[in-house]
Amino acid sequence: MARGTLRIYLGAAPGVGKTYAMLSEAHRRVERGTDCVVAFVEHHHRPRTEVMLHGLEQLPRREIEYRGGIFTEMDVDAVLRRAPKVALVDELAHTNVPGSRNTKRWQDVEELLAAGIDVISTVNIQHLESLGDVVESITGVRQRETVPDEVVRRADQIELVDMSPQALRRRMAHGNIYKPDKVDAALSNYFRPGNLTALRELALLWVADRVDAYLTEYRSEHRVSTIWGSRERIVVGLTGGPEGRTLIRRAARLAEKGAGGEVMAVYISRSDGLTAVSPKELALQRTLVEDLGGTFHQVVGDDIPAALLDFARGVNATQIVLGVSRRRSWQYVFGPGVGATVARESGPDLDVHLITHAEVGKGRGLPVARGARLGRSRVIGGWLAGVLGPLLLTWLLNSVVPDIGLANDMLLFLTLTVAAALLGGLLPALASAVVGSTLLNWFFTPPVHTLTIADPQNIVAIVVFVGVAVAVASVVDLAARRTHQAARLRGESEILSFLAGNVLRGETGLEDLLERVRETFGMESVALLERAGEKDPWTCAGSVGPRPATTPDAADVDVPVGDHMALSLRGRVLPAADRRVLAAFAAQAAVVVDRRRLKGEADRAEKLAEGNRIRTALLAAVSHDLRTPLAGIKAAVTSLRSDDVEWSEEDQAELLEAIEEGADRLDQLVGNLLDMSRLQTGTVAPVLRETDLDEVVPMALGGVPEDSVELDIPETLPMVHVDRGLLERAVANVVENAVKHSPPGEKVLVSASALANRVEVRVVDRGPGVPDEAKERIFEPFQRYGDSPRGVGVGLGLAVARGFTEALRGTVHAEDTPGGGLTMVLSVPMAPERLEQPALPATAGP
């Protein structure tokens, strides 16, 4: 069966005409022959709305009794039986009366849609769940009835019912919305012009966002690559330089010139993560664009112009704002630059603005030295080998081993160049090639001690030497850099594997994760900061190391995590290459915090649910099980006090016995309820001491008939280490349960024995027994197995017995009795001194 469609009339405030518009649509559909019924519509005694209900089939409502009153709700079953083509359901965010089929009306609507029924409904913007805080800050009223945004977003059609604040207030003043006695209060509170204007803006923006989502979905489905300028979207291309703030402000001014303009700042990072940008500057620019109402995005791409254009077309942008290049004039020989390329490739549907700024023509600064990744000692060694090495070799060749031939001299100098490349990278190797070629020309190439070369073959040899030296140095440097990158990627993969293996499985706490960050990046301290809103102060969710940063601005490195969280590090400024892994750590730190909070909330919810379940069961017990003995006592007392009946002594004794039995049952029930309450609240504090079991068990049999139990407690049993009162109550509850389920005439056997370092008390009955799958369930509160009749207890005896036994560090479980029945086994620890082996007497000497 196909799912039904959902149409929602969305309004900014009560009284704008949502229900009226819905009923008008229903009349139009009925006139076209559509089977349309009113499942639930509330006219609120508004005459014009009430008139619109005439001529429409209205299904009967379901009446529900709650707290002494009668309430009506939509009868979902009646609608499903009627199975119309279209059902009208008013007030989608309404909370149903307790006892209804579903908690919320939107859940009722989901059932109708799943049954293939089309639904037309209404909702106000203030009832959307995500806008609750915003609406409360505007109106001062917290909306108790809400509907998840996703439910409304999934609607097939959303129609905005709009009305100006002035018109709505006039409608209110004329008595078309509320009764006359409520008009003045409404106009001076919720329906103030400012409130209505703000709510109207919320509704318009929310619907505009939904329309934008529809448009994006349509463009994606139909593969529309051209830009549709439905509204101004301005993309700002950031490089991480200081000119970015100028570009963002200029783009914000451009957006203000058109209604609904949107600014999106984007930073293109290279896939190798080695772009030398200032993380601090990027963070400042991100904060600036968000303060101006825009959004910040970071995408990866080695071809920056292509990546920027792909992003702009992907978000349906209409303009791109770029800064004029910071490159110097001579640097244009390497290409036209990003701005010129983007302007050339943008096409006619995307405008490109090149903005001048104070950094134009100042250059991008020196690149990061390649040797920096090789280590300081290696770079120094490379320069020593490249500059001093050729000088030392020249002295050796002239003084120790002269005249070995120019070819051999060149091979020795080439060896030094390779060594310089291996140690210090490309620059020391190039220096070695220049110094070596000069020394070869001056000392070893005829005519010597001049820079001229007589033999053309020697010229070729020197040129070949220089070329080979540069080539070898380049290859060696490239191999060294690739080795460094491979080692770095291997380290990153190990770190990411740690995150995936430990953090995602919940095996690492927040402090352990922050300590791993501090060790990985060699920082002084690491702190995870968070705040509730943009203007709220930062608080520390967790930190390691001395003097952790209290704000992101006080840190040497900070990585934003979402809108209200940041990972702040102190110690040194990290290169851009490290921020990729640091961002992964930051994201996982946020996950750990969220998981910790969700676990706490889940624990609290579980406790609340358990408490609610116990309270519900307690009410059920009080409503029946406690009233039964009270009714017996009341009847017996009334009979005894009756003046028109003369009771014989036997009758009076029987009535008094009934009163005594009812009082005993009440005492037992109340005692169990109090015991369970103590267990649930954790106020049971056992006082452990040495006790003889044969002194406890007989005292526990006071609540059962004398001839219903057979005792078998050996006097030789070791003493136990228990709280005497708790053990007595536990045994009493178990024995009473056994007697209750034993056949008439069958005695319950209570025996005890020692086993290892514990003492077991076994309570054996010959009743119907309990199947294996129910042996644990019978120890849960308010559980009565099988067909136990009402009035025999509230199902707390065994639960209290297990709770008390576990408080004594003991156990209680159920076993099958051989031949039929159930055996309860209570196991408690022996007294400590009984666990010690007695010392053997010393053997007398001869």
Side-chain angles (χ1 to χ4, degrees):
M1 178 183 296
R3 180 181 173 86
T5 60
L6 175 61
R7 179 172 182 171
I8 294 178
Y9 286 93
L10 177 67
V16 295
K18 304 180 302 300
T19 305
Y20 191 93
M22 178 179 67
L23 294 174
S24 299
E25 175 65 19
H27 280 288
R28 286 191 292 270
R29 297 200 181 196
V30 170
E31 291 173 0
R32 295 195 299 265
T34 304
D35 182 16
C36 184
V37 302
V38 176
F40 189 97
V41 170
E42 189 64 66
H43 55 74
H44 296 290
H45 303 290
R46 296 169 187 169
R48 295 188 178 182
T49 305
E50 189 173 0
V51 169
M52 292 296 294
L53 286 170
H54 297 165
L56 297 176
E57 179 185 352
Q58 300 186 49
L59 297 181
R61 300 182 180 182
R62 181 187 176 191
E63 293 186 351
I64 300 175
E65 182 180 356
Y66 179 66
R67 292 185 177 179
I70 302 297
F71 299 87
T72 60
E73 295 288 358
M74 180 176 66
D75 193 336
V76 180
D77 293 325
V79 181
L80 294 175
R81 287 194 300 268
R82 173 63 175 77
K85 174 62 179 174
V86 180
L88 307 184
V89 182
D90 204 6
E91 299 177 356
L92 186 64
H94 172 74
T95 300
N96 294 327
V97 175
S100 301
R101 183 191 189 105
N102 295 304
T103 304
K104 305 287 289 187
R105 185 165 291 166
W106 65 263
Q107 296 171 328
D108 297 336
V109 169
E110 287 292 324
E111 287 197 39
L112 301 183
L113 294 173
I117 300 174
D118 296 341
V119 177
I120 304 177
S121 187
T122 64
V123 71
N124 283 330
I125 191 67
Q126 64 263 32
H127 293 300
L128 294 183
E129 198 168 77
S130 66
L131 300 178
D133 295 339
V134 179
V135 172
E136 184 179 8
S137 65
I138 295 172
T139 64
V141 178
R142 181 65 178 180
Q143 297 296 328
R144 301 301 178 186
E145 295 186 330
T146 60
V147 58
D149 290 45
E150 185 60 27
V151 174
V152 182
R153 288 184 182 276
R154 286 201 307 263
D156 300 274
Q157 297 181 60
I158 300 176
E159 184 170 332
L160 178 65
V161 182
D162 190 26
M163 178 175 289
S164 68
Q166 294 77 13
L168 184 57
R169 283 173 59 83
R170 284 196 300 270
R171 178 180 288 185
M172 171 71 71
H174 293 158
N176 295 329
I177 301 177
Y178 291 158
K179 294 181 179 180
D181 58 336
K182 297 182 179 180
V183 170
D184 291 339
L187 289 175
S188 59
N189 291 284
Y190 193 89
F191 284 81
R192 293 196 300 267
N195 289 358
L196 297 178
T197 302
L199 292 174
R200 187 188 188 196
E201 183 181 15
L202 277 179
L204 291 171
L205 290 175
W206 195 91
V207 173
D209 180 68
R210 184 62 184 141
V211 171
D212 188 50
Y214 277 133
L215 180 61
T216 302
E217 183 179 351
Y218 178 86
R219 283 165 48 85
S220 176
E221 290 178 354
H222 293 78
R223 298 182 179 179
V224 178
S225 58
T226 58
I227 294 176
W228 292 357
S230 54
R231 64 170 170 166
E232 292 295 336
R233 284 188 178 87
I234 303 174
V235 170
V236 184
L238 301 178
T239 64
E243 77 281 358
R245 284 172 274 179
T246 302
L247 304 183
I248 292 170
R249 294 188 178 95
R250 182 60 183 273
R253 292 196 294 270
L254 289 173
E256 290 175 355
K257 295 180 179 179
E262 183 180 355
V263 176
M264 290 172 284
V266 58
Y267 169 70
I268 312 294
S269 60
R270 296 188 182 277
S271 59
D272 58 9
L274 299 177
T275 306
V277 299
S278 169
K280 280 275 190 182
E281 183 64 32
L282 270 183
L284 290 174
Q285 293 174 15
R286 175 180 188 142
T287 302
L288 176 62
V289 71
E290 291 175 350
D291 290 343
L292 294 174
T295 56
F296 181 88
H297 308 267
Q298 183 169 345
V299 298
V300 177
D302 292 322
D303 189 344
I304 294 179
L308 185 60
L309 289 171
D310 288 343
F311 175 83
R313 293 192 174 99
V315 298
N316 200 29
T318 57
Q319 302 180 53
I320 295 180
V321 173
L322 298 173
V324 176
S325 178
R326 287 183 288 156
R327 294 191 298 175
R328 302 185 187 277
S329 301
W330 62 268
Q331 291 178 309
Y332 281 97
V333 299
F334 299 107
V338 173
T341 304
V342 170
R344 185 180 66 246
E345 302 294 337
S346 62
D349 52 357
L350 189 58
D351 298 333
V352 178
H353 302 267
L354 293 178
I355 308 299
T356 59
H357 50 84
E359 303 297 322
V360 173
K362 292 185 177 180
R364 290 183 173 272
L366 292 175
V368 178
R370 292 178 175 179
R373 65 177 64 93
L374 298 176
R376 183 182 182 87
S377 59
R378 288 191 58 180
V379 173
I380 294 176
W383 280 105
L384 292 176
V387 177
L388 297 182
L391 296 176
L392 180 60
L393 180 61
T394 300
W395 178 78
L396 290 175
L397 292 177
N398 281 325
S399 304
V400 181
V401 284
D403 300 328
I404 62 173
L406 181 60
N408 292 327
D409 294 336
M410 294 176 64
L411 289 176
L412 292 174
F413 277 99
L414 183 60
T415 301
L416 284 177
T417 301
V418 173
L422 288 173
L423 289 174
L426 181 61
L427 294 180
L430 293 178
S432 177
V434 173
V435 174
S437 61
T438 303
L439 294 176
L440 280 171
N441 188 357
W442 183 268
F443 288 103
F444 303 104
T445 304
V448 295
H449 302 131
T450 64
L451 294 179
T452 59
I453 302 176
D455 190 347
Q457 292 182 358
N458 292 336
I459 296 177
V460 174
I462 292 295
V463 172
V464 170
F465 165 77
V466 174
V468 170
V470 171
V472 170
S474 300
V475 171
V476 172
D477 178 69
L478 179 62
R481 286 190 288 117
R482 289 291 182 262
T483 301
H484 170 78
Q485 292 175 1
R488 180 180 184 82
L489 291 175
R490 183 174 64 252
E492 289 183 3
S493 65
E494 292 176 356
I495 294 173
L496 295 176
S497 175
F498 161 79
L499 290 175
N502 291 37
V503 179
L504 295 181
R505 288 195 302 267
E507 298 175 356
T508 301
L510 179 61
E511 285 70 22
D512 295 334
L513 181 63
L514 297 180
E515 182 62 29
R516 180 63 183 263
V517 174
R518 192 170 73 93
E519 293 177 356
T520 300
F521 297 98
M523 304 301 288
E524 179 183 350
S525 64
V526 181
L528 184 66
L529 306 177
E530 61 178 348
R531 59 181 177 179
E534 295 292 339
K535 298 182 180 180
D536 294 314
W538 289 96
T539 59
C540 183
S543 65
V544 294
R547 299 187 308 108
T550 56
T551 63
D553 294 336
D556 294 313
V557 180
D558 69 278
V559 179
V561 187
D563 295 330
H564 306 302
M565 193 173 290
L567 186 66
S568 302
L569 297 83
R570 270 185 172 176
R572 62 189 177 92
V573 177
L574 293 178
D578 290 337
R579 291 181 63 86
R580 177 169 54 189
V581 177
L582 188 58
F585 271 110
Q588 294 306 325
V591 170
V592 171
V593 173
D594 291 341
R595 182 188 293 117
R596 184 170 63 183
R597 289 176 177 167
L598 288 175
K599 185 177 183 303
E601 292 177 1
D603 293 341
R604 288 192 294 270
E606 184 177 356
K607 291 181 180 178
L608 289 174
E610 177 66 18
N612 186 61
R613 186 179 70 83
I614 291 178
R615 282 193 296 271
T616 302
L618 179 60
L619 289 174
V622 170
S623 66
H624 186 282
D625 294 280
L626 294 182
R627 292 175 63 183
T628 300
L630 279 175
I633 295 173
K634 176 67 174 178
V637 171
T638 302
S639 299
L640 288 174
R641 296 188 60 184
S642 177
D643 297 332
D644 54 351
V645 178
E646 291 187 5
W647 303 99
S648 63
E649 293 184 359
E650 293 80 4
D651 292 336
Q652 290 180 4
E654 186 175 350
L655 290 173
L656 291 173
E657 183 180 359
I659 294 173
E660 185 178 11
E661 289 179 356
D664 290 340
R665 280 182 59 189
L666 276 179
D667 180 67
Q668 181 183 5
L669 290 173
V670 172
N672 280 335
L673 290 172
L674 292 176
D675 289 340
M676 180 52 59
S677 175
R678 292 169 60 200
L679 290 171
Q680 291 294 328
T681 56
T683 58
V684 176
V687 179
L688 304 179
R689 63 186 62 181
E690 294 183 7
T691 303
D692 283 324
L693 204 60
D694 57 359
E695 296 178 359
V696 176
V697 176
M699 298 297 296
L701 307 182
V704 297
E706 295 182 358
D707 59 346
S708 61
V709 177
E710 179 183 348
L711 277 179
D712 183 14
I713 308 295
E715 296 181 356
T716 58
L717 277 178
M719 301 182 74
V720 292
H721 195 237
V722 297
D723 184 303
R724 180 169 178 170
L726 295 184
L727 181 59
E728 180 181 326
R729 291 301 304 273
V731 174
N733 283 352
V734 172
V735 172
E736 289 171 4
N737 181 78
V739 172
K740 188 186 306 179
H741 293 89
S742 292
E746 288 284 349
K747 290 186 177 182
V748 172
L749 174 62
V750 179
S751 62
S753 60
L755 181 64
N757 60 346
R758 305 183 74 82
V759 173
E760 288 186 350
V761 178
R762 307 178 72 88
V763 181
V764 183
D765 67 63
R766 294 293 178 177
V770 175
D772 292 339
E773 62 271 12
K775 282 187 171 62
E776 281 299 312
R777 194 166 65 248
I778 61 177
F779 290 100
E780 296 179 3
F782 305 103
Q783 297 291 324
R784 286 181 293 193
Y785 176 72
D787 56 352
S788 298
R790 300 287 293 183
V792 298
V794 294
L796 287 177
L798 294 182
V800 170
R802 169 166 281 188
F804 283 171
T805 306
E806 290 178 349
L808 300 175
R809 297 175 298 169
T811 61
V812 58
H813 64 276
E815 298 177 354
D816 291 330
T817 300
L822 190 69
T823 298
M824 291 289 182
V825 182
L826 287 83
S827 176
V828 292
M830 292 182 185
E833 61 271 17
R834 301 295 178 177
L835 301 179
E836 299 177 0
Q837 296 294 334
L840 294 177
T843 304

